[in-house]
Amino acid sequence: MSLPASVPFRFARAAVFAVVCVGLGWGAHAFGGGGVAPGASAAALGGAFAAAYALAGRERTPHVILPLLGGAQAVLHLVFSLAHEASPVAAAAHAHTGLVPGLGMLVAHGWATLLTGLWLARGEALLWSLLRRLAVRLLLVRLPAFWTSFLPTCTAQPPVLRPAVLRYAVTRRGPPLVVDLF
């Protein structure tokens, strides 16, 4: 069962996803020897937020998350490569030339997509599981208060319960007894 998300919850999920997605992409691009213009980072952040907000309304499965994350990585790679602000030395050290990535770059993007997608899918399942449990807890807290207003009150005293004799209970209490031997 998948419940729709409220607007503030959706906004928060989209904002966190966009910041983490663009931050990791920017960091990986910088680690690979490239630089990114602030305008390109802002555009990528806005695009990632818009896409995440559109998709953050319901729980997503790994079958949906992995292809979308692969597409997001491809778009971020393209945006960061087009806005490459590096010196010629740093550009030569970058892992690819132009917009076509090499085999190492494709493997790196594939691993990043797979690991991040599985991590996001587990986090998504955990988040929605916690939200469902919280909803049930709140319902259980609110439901007795709702139903007790309609039920007649009982004025009889509850019965007195007898203590149960426990099978392995130690019944000796207090200090040890003094034994006189003489």
Side-chain angles (χ1 to χ4, degrees):
M1 182 169 113
S2 181
L3 301 173
S6 66
V7 173
F9 179 66
R10 205 171 171 178
F11 185 84
R13 287 180 66 208
V16 168
F17 175 79
V19 168
V20 170
C21 183
V22 173
L24 287 174
W26 186 87
H29 195 77
F31 181 71
V36 180
S41 296
L45 186 64
F49 177 80
Y53 187 80
L55 296 170
R58 296 193 177 272
E59 180 178 2
R60 302 294 175 197
T61 63
H63 297 92
V64 175
I65 291 174
L66 285 171
L68 291 174
L69 196 58
Q73 278 206 16
V75 169
L76 284 175
H77 178 84
L78 183 65
V79 168
F80 289 163
S81 293
L82 288 175
H84 198 62
E85 62 169 32
S87 65
V89 174
H94 196 57
H96 61 86
T97 58
L99 298 177
V100 180
L103 181 61
M105 182 68 71
L106 287 175
V107 170
H109 277 289
W111 273 107
T113 300
L114 182 67
L115 294 177
T116 309
L118 292 176
W119 178 57
L120 281 173
R122 294 293 295 169
E124 183 85 356
L126 177 67
L127 174 69
W128 285 95
S129 172
L130 289 174
L131 289 174
R132 281 190 287 271
R133 289 179 185 183
L134 179 64
V136 168
R137 297 271 183 190
L138 290 176
L139 183 65
L140 290 177
V141 167
R142 291 287 189 187
L143 196 58
F146 175 74
W147 285 111
T148 55
S149 62
F150 296 110
L151 296 176
T153 58
C154 181
T155 58
Q157 294 292 328
V160 177
L161 300 176
R162 293 181 297 149
V165 177
L166 300 177
R167 184 173 180 185
Y168 296 106
V170 178
T171 58
R172 301 181 310 266
R173 294 189 59 142
L177 295 174
V178 178
V179 178
D180 279 333
L181 296 177
F182 300 103

